[in-house]
Amino acid sequence: MSTLFISDLHLDESRPEITELFLDFLKQDAVSAEALYILGDFFEAWVGDDDDSVLGKKVVLALRELSDGGVPVFFMRGNRDFLIGPDFAKRAGLQILPDPCVLELYGTPTLLMHGDLLCSDDAAYQAFRSQVRSDDWQSRFLSQPLAARLAFAAQARAASKQHQSGLMSEEQENIMDVTEATVKTLMKRYGVNRLIHGHTHRPAVHLFYNDDISSRRIVLGDWYTQGSVLRVDADGVYLSTI
């Protein structure tokens, strides 16, 4: 049996084929796993646990079925779904993890992160992240009517797509990727030589030395055109698509 890791599904009603791919994955792959970890950006946007969308209800039911069947499900908030809260977790039968956290994985302490904190050169984004993760901002946002929050999310998605459609310089591309020094610092702080994260949509296994210690950074892929899954067992790690 394996432990499964996924991230960056960006589930959205405009891409029903990806939702169906995920639901099939739960029934065919995750049902026999030791555990499932979802490391953020599960939804394209999440404006509060009172969102009663058809997509949300469908996903909650599928996760609950998996959890009730004996497969533990763990979730880490991303930059798109940081407002997922305890009500959603209770209904879906999952446990919310802090970002970052360390998991003892088949004898190897492993640091789990969504990954956006590693992009420390992107000062504008880190300032925005600090703002929207504050209790005050979230309280004020969640106090607005659901319709207003959904409109805000739609506007933010449109702005993001417009930004991504433009050509970026190599320097801009690098700023949006992880900062190597930050990766090494965090791994030393948590005393690990293996890190698993998503966010950058650049699936790969990076091997490097951190103070002469052989280390590994595993980046999960996104689910825009296909699924990306990391399988970890006692024999190793396997990053693949579905």
Side-chain angles (χ1 to χ4, degrees), residues 1 6 13 17-18 59 74 87 89 97 105 145-147 149 173 175 185 200 203 208 219 224 242:
M1 295 176 66
I6 58 176
E13 291 179 345
E17 69 282 1
I18 298 301
V59 170
F74 300 92
D87 184 58
L97 299 174
L105 193 57
L146 177 59
R149 284 178 272 141
E173 289 275 4
I175 286 175
T185 296
T200 63
F208 60 98
V219 187
Y224 278 115
I242 59 172

Side-chain angles (χ1 to χ4, degrees), residues 108-144:
T108 300
T110 302
L111 184 62
L112 304 182
M113 303 182 69
H114 171 58
D116 55 339
L117 281 170
L118 298 170
C119 303
S120 55
D121 285 345
D122 192 344
Y125 169 74
Q126 295 300 333
F128 170 78
R129 186 187 191 279
S130 295
Q131 178 189 27
V132 300
R133 295 299 182 101
S134 70
D135 292 339
D136 181 60
W137 187 95
Q138 293 188 11
S139 178
R140 285 188 284 110
F141 182 78
L142 292 173
S143 68
Q144 298 180 43

Side-chain angles (χ1 to χ4, degrees), residues 8-216:
D8 300 280
L9 283 74
H10 293 268
L11 297 179
D12 188 75
E13 291 179 345
S14 67
R15 297 162 54 243
E17 69 282 1
I18 298 301
T19 300
E20 292 305 314
L21 181 64
F22 170 65
L23 296 178
D24 287 343
F25 162 76
L26 292 184
K27 295 177 181 177
Q28 298 173 14
D29 296 86
V31 70
S32 59
E34 287 196 42
L36 171 64
Y37 287 80
I38 305 170
L39 300 187
D41 284 4
F42 186 34
F43 291 96
E44 177 68 11
W46 190 260
V47 298
D49 287 357
D50 58 338
D51 186 347
D52 59 354
S53 67
V54 173
L55 171 63
K57 291 177 180 177
K58 184 183 294 186
V59 170
V60 160
L61 289 174
L63 288 173
R64 186 79 209 195
E65 182 177 353
L66 180 68
S67 178
D68 287 348
V71 179
V73 182
F74 300 92
F75 173 77
M76 181 177 287
R77 298 178 179 96
N79 53 292
R80 299 279 185 158
D81 48 20
F82 57 86
L83 288 173
I84 284 181
D87 184 58
F88 178 91
K90 182 178 180 180
R91 287 185 282 121
L94 56 82
Q95 178 180 334
I96 296 179
L97 299 174
D99 180 8
C101 70
V102 176
L103 170 67
E104 188 73 23
L105 193 57
Y106 303 101
T108 300
T110 302
L111 184 62
L112 304 182
M113 303 182 69
H114 171 58
D116 55 339
L117 281 170
L118 298 170
C119 303
S120 55
D121 285 345
D122 192 344
Y125 169 74
Q126 295 300 333
F128 170 78
R129 186 187 191 279
S130 295
Q131 178 189 27
V132 300
R133 295 299 182 101
S134 70
D135 292 339
D136 181 60
W137 187 95
Q138 293 188 11
S139 178
R140 285 188 284 110
F141 182 78
L142 292 173
S143 68
Q144 298 180 43
L146 177 59
R149 284 178 272 141
L150 290 170
F152 176 88
Q155 184 179 22
R157 286 199 301 272
S160 177
K161 288 180 180 179
Q162 183 177 15
H163 173 71
Q164 292 173 2
S165 66
L167 294 176
M168 289 187 290
S169 67
E170 182 178 352
E171 181 181 4
Q172 289 172 313
E173 289 275 4
N174 290 336
I175 286 175
M176 295 178 68
D177 201 358
V178 305
T179 303
E180 182 179 349
T182 302
V183 169
K184 292 183 175 181
T185 296
L186 280 171
M187 292 182 73
K188 284 191 288 186
R189 180 182 303 169
Y190 285 92
V192 302
N193 58 20
R194 183 165 69 186
L195 165 65
I196 299 173
H197 72 85
H199 180 65
T200 63
H201 301 185
R202 301 176 181 183
V205 178
H206 300 275
L207 303 177
F208 60 98
Y209 282 94
N210 195 3
D211 284 350
D212 297 326
I213 299 174
S214 179
S215 302
R216 180 178 299 187

